Amino acid sequence: KSGFEVCEEIRRNYPENLPIIMISANSDEDNIVKGFKVGSNDYVKKPFNRYEVLARIETQIKLRDMWRTEVEAVRSNELLGKI
């Protein structure tokens, strides 16, 4: 399977709560755009710097946590509105 196919499968199983960072030597614009279209949250070109990848991972985790906080706030407000 290609990385794009694997990304699509992962995204089907984890629609919103799992950040996906694709790492590929295919660094042309079409492949990068395709990576995002199949569900990747970020795309890193090979060769890569490990500190850059770690920073990108940390950023995706922070974004995921902020998203979860927002979703919980919306749900809480909806429940409070029903009381």
Side-chain angles (χ1 to χ4, degrees), residues 6-7 10-11 14 18-22 39-43 60:
V6 172
C7 184
I10 293 170
R11 190 52 72 213
Y14 303 94
L18 180 70
I20 299 172
I21 300 174
M22 295 187 77
S40 177
N41 298 85
D42 203 352
Y43 194 101
Q60 289 301 321

Side-chain angles (χ1 to χ4, degrees), residues 63-78:
L63 289 169
R64 183 206 57 201
D65 292 346
M66 288 188 310
W67 177 82
R68 282 183 179 170
T69 301
E70 183 66 25
V71 167
E72 289 172 9
V74 168
R75 287 182 183 155
S76 293
N77 286 337
E78 288 173 353

Side-chain angles (χ1 to χ4, degrees), residues 15-55:
E16 299 168 338
N17 58 353
L18 180 70
I20 299 172
I21 300 174
M22 295 187 77
I23 298 177
S24 177
N26 295 326
S27 60
D28 64 90
E29 187 176 329
D30 290 339
N31 280 304
I32 294 169
V33 170
K34 184 175 181 181
F36 286 116
K37 284 185 176 181
V38 297
S40 177
N41 298 85
D42 203 352
Y43 194 101
V44 178
K45 302 174 196 177
K46 288 182 184 179
F48 59 86
N49 175 293
R50 73 181 189 147
Y51 297 109
E52 175 188 356
V53 172
L54 290 172

